[in-house]
Amino acid sequence: MTVERVMGAETEYGILAPEQTGANPTVLSAQVVNTYDTLFHRALRARSSSQWEYSSESPLADSRGGEMSEEQAHPSQLTHRAPVLTSEEIAAEALKESGLYAERLDWDSVTMNSILPNGARFYVDHAHPEYSSPEVTNPLDAVLWDAAGDHIAAQTVATIEVNATESGLPKVNLYKNNTDSKGQSYGAHENYLLKRSTNFDDVVAGLLPFFATRGIMIGAGRVGIGTKGEKPGFQITQRADFFERLVGLETTIRRPLVNTRDEPHADINRYRRLHVITGDANLSHYSNLLKFGTMSLVLNLIEAGQAPQIKLADPVAAMHTVSHNLTLAAQLPLAGGGTITALEIQGEFLDAARELEGDCDAATQQILDLWEQTLHLLETDLFALADRLDWVAKYQLLSQYVSQGLGWDNPKLAAIDLQYSDIRPHKGLYFKLVQVGRMKTLFDEATIEEAAHNPPENTRAYLRGKVISTWPEEIVSVNWDTIVARDPLGTDLYRLNMPSPSLFTKSSVEHLLKGEHAGDLISWLNGQNI
């Protein structure tokens, strides 16, 4: 067994125009996305007319069977429709005259998607700019290409700031956090492919106790208790207070611990995509590695029928309790009587994973050892993890101010909390901790920047990213599993379906990228019946 499986991340960034606090966030998000879109196309010295291919999106399919009707769905679930800015939302003349936006945009129906040369998608989702990383095959790569999104976000903010005077558009800040502390939450989602043959009831049973307690390792920390932070204090996670039920299809309302969206972007007979919405947005590489690595191991356990049989009396209440309990000693009621702690639950999953994995590769061993070491230090020496875990780093930093007499309801602490998540390297407190050696990293800046411009080499993301950078003017539309190109000399369209994430890798297609046209490549690949 191995920790390797197809996975990826989605990060919605908090957005704010400090000088125009009442600015429409959807307009600001469009400003961010289109600024970066223009940036990378200038680097390519070519325009692109490519759009997101919505025809293969199926956000209302449910893993429990059936499909929710559009009439029943909340508007935020209709992600198979291209988002647009209404005339009321858009300051039309200011945006048109700014020069920051791609000429291809139809200002009566502004598209807000950018497909990047690293195989990722950068777009407007629920009034936030969202970076969806390219699919990768292991947790370490998931961390790297997620960090690449932070680099892209920071580069975009810097560009907007430089051009603010000339463009007349407001400067913006982006934050890798999960709540505005006014009752709104936005996601940091994970995606994993797992075997379609796995009974979904077993998936739910295995994940509920794990999700209720994994925040002790992957929480980002938050000042304030409650969805609006109405109660003074500090808690381990940013997202816990916003979850209300066990299982469901929604992601922005009535949030469930286990999301049932069944949209694999792969062979639907072989795979389902587990859409995980319970995690925090992590800046720490180690928090992120634990997030992706332990999740992959737990899915191994579930697929093998070896997940610990732990049934909490109320997993949602347990998640809230765990997040609010900084001693990690809270006793969580079990359905059959008795209690258990978050550390004990995570320990049972770790023990089961060690037993299942047996002899394992180096990547899997790294996750197992990190999991074990983290649980040990959480129990015995919490602040020894301040150089690895986001919530512990933030808690240690804030505790210094509390020890000097500030109460947890002091606005200064909330401001420090927000500044930790600022994605600007010269402003964000996380980056300051890295710079002074108080936060460990797994990748240096040069490696992260490389991943911001280049796709993973061992998934179909390689082909997606490379066709965008090689033939930007010929690509009509792109999805995770689809590429559509036009004949530049005629009207023909060429469509490539990519149901297997493990095909169209660098080793198999790099030599084909020297052709004259994208259509020629697609025609050849279709002829190979790959």
Side-chain angles (χ1 to χ4, degrees), residues 9 97 114 138 145 148 191 228 232 243 257 295 314 347-348 366 376 378 387 452 455 466 483 523:
E97 294 173 1
S114 186
N138 62 82
W145 267 275
N191 297 289
K228 296 181 181 180
F243 285 85
L257 268 63
M295 186 67 201
D314 187 341
E348 288 199 29
Q366 179 188 24
H376 173 70
L378 284 170
D387 61 356
K466 289 301 181 182
I483 297 172
S523 293

Side-chain angles (χ1 to χ4, degrees), residues 141-159:
D141 280 353
V143 175
L144 175 57
W145 267 275
D146 180 68
D150 301 337
H151 174 87
I152 287 167
Q155 187 179 10
T156 305
V157 167
T159 302

Side-chain angles (χ1 to χ4, degrees), residues 215-217 219-225 232-238 318-332 342-343 377-383 385 389-396 398-399 402 408:
I216 64 175
M217 300 183 296
R222 179 187 168 201
V223 172
I225 310 296
F234 181 84
Q235 62 175 308
I236 292 171
T237 75
Q238 299 222 336
M319 175 184 257
H320 297 171
T321 298
V322 169
S323 185
H324 301 165
N325 180 243
L326 301 178
T327 69
L328 310 183
Q331 297 294 320
L332 310 175
L343 282 168
L377 290 176
L378 284 170
E379 185 172 19
T380 62
D381 189 5
L382 178 64
F383 287 127
L385 292 167
L389 301 189
D390 280 317
W391 82 267
V392 180
K394 189 184 291 185
Y395 183 42
Q396 183 183 64
L398 293 167
S399 293
V402 172
W408 282 109

